[in-house]
Amino acid sequence: MGRHGIPSFADLWLKHETLYVAVFMMALRRLSETGCDTNHEDRISEKLYLLMRQICREETRRRHCEIPTPAWDEPIPPANETELKGGKSKKRPDFTRNLVNTYASCADDHEIAFHVECKRLGHPTSKSWNLNENYVTEGIKRFDCASHEYGKRAPSGMMLGYIISMSPERILKEVNTHQKKHCPNNPPIAFDGVGEGVQRYGHDLDRKNVLPRKFKLIHLWVDLRKGNGQSTDPGS
């Protein structure tokens, strides 16, 4: 038999990304069906984590291969001596699922994290708390800032948007407006498809502060307005 070639990192990562985008989409759909307390972002993510545990168990049995549940609210560990911060780094993406690359040429690249950040979307909840602006400043920006370095060493990462009010169309317009102010080098987020309560958006970044420079940021938005007593009319 001929010797099998070693798979490229790009192929391994695409498989990893595709798997976990699918897992998150299934969990978000189930979240929209079961409902949750939308008054606090972490409560939504906590409920989502439980749903992902169920889905990863189901998919493990269906696919006959181990599919670990993404970790919830874990700090980013150092990959080498230069990244040590004296134990003071507390940056925590909402979800993390590492790709273990058994073909990596060095320890730095043995485990690469797929980072996921979650934010509520909709009308401001107070004069000082603008959800759609926070999605940019406390979410998108974390994938290209030295203080957080979400998605470091990875070709892609993901943002989850929990829609608690407003229509997706109005939210998209506002988020892109806030991007022009806070991330002027970023292209607009573009609609990429919809299915069963979850909308997907594409976003190709040219990062300035985090490697690799070319980075795909996937956005999944789930409509939780019905469970929050809000209208799902497109104009709301």
Side-chain angles (χ1 to χ4, degrees):
M1 295 178 64
R3 182 178 178 183
H4 293 289
I6 295 175
S8 69
F9 172 72
D11 289 341
L12 292 171
W13 185 264
L14 181 59
K15 183 178 179 181
H16 183 71
E17 173 197 295
T18 301
L19 171 63
Y20 281 99
V21 169
V23 166
F24 274 97
M25 288 194 76
M26 287 186 280
L28 289 170
R29 287 179 188 133
R30 201 167 293 184
L31 182 68
S32 69
E33 294 166 358
T34 59
C36 60
D37 180 356
T38 61
N39 292 314
H40 195 281
E41 184 180 288
D42 287 342
R43 292 175 187 171
I44 304 174
S45 295
E46 185 178 35
K47 177 70 177 291
L48 183 65
Y49 173 73
L50 288 181
L51 294 172
M52 279 194 294
R53 284 176 61 93
Q54 297 173 11
I55 287 166
C56 286
R57 173 180 173 272
E58 293 165 5
E59 290 299 297
T60 291
R61 291 187 171 189
R62 187 178 71 84
R63 299 178 186 226
H64 304 290
C65 64
E66 183 180 357
I67 301 177
T69 305
W72 175 48
D73 197 32
E74 285 193 353
I76 301 175
N80 54 50
E81 290 283 338
T82 65
E83 295 182 4
L84 295 175
K85 296 180 174 64
K88 296 180 180 180
S89 179
K90 302 296 181 183
K91 305 307 178 187
R92 295 172 177 265
D94 287 304
F95 293 99
T96 303
R97 183 61 251 161
N98 288 349
L99 165 68
V100 177
N101 182 7
T102 57
Y103 306 102
S105 59
C106 64
D108 290 20
D109 297 329
H110 178 62
E111 293 188 50
I112 305 294
F114 184 66
H115 286 150
V116 181
E117 185 70 0
C118 309
K119 289 287 177 282
R120 293 188 300 165
L121 291 167
H123 295 295
T125 54
S126 71
K127 292 182 179 179
S128 61
W129 202 250
N130 187 313
L131 297 182
N132 298 338
E133 186 171 22
N134 290 346
Y135 187 86
V136 176
T137 59
E138 307 298 323
I140 293 173
K141 286 191 71 174
R142 293 181 176 180
F143 288 89
D144 189 19
C145 68
S147 62
H148 287 76
E149 295 186 315
Y150 289 3
K152 188 175 183 178
R153 298 187 178 87
S156 62
M158 191 155 65
M159 288 285 304
L160 302 186
Y162 303 138
I163 298 175
I164 64 169
S165 60
M166 295 180 66
S167 69
E169 293 79 11
R170 288 183 61 190
I171 292 170
L172 180 62
K173 184 177 180 180
E174 284 199 9
V175 168
N176 279 329
T177 298
H178 290 304
Q179 270 208 116
K180 290 179 182 179
K181 175 183 177 181
H182 299 289
C183 308
N185 294 317
N186 285 1
I189 299 171
F191 180 70
D192 197 30
V194 62
E196 299 180 29
V198 180
Q199 301 198 59
R200 177 169 175 161
Y201 301 82
H203 206 193
D204 293 323
L205 306 184
D206 185 8
R207 300 195 288 189
K208 309 301 179 185
N209 304 293
V210 182
L211 294 176
R213 300 289 189 219
K214 299 300 181 183
F215 186 78
K216 179 172 68 174
L217 187 57
I218 301 160
H219 299 259
L220 298 182
W221 293 0
V222 61
D223 192 343
L224 301 178
R225 289 175 293 172
K226 187 178 296 184
N228 193 33
Q230 299 286 332
S231 168
T232 56
D233 183 89
S236 64

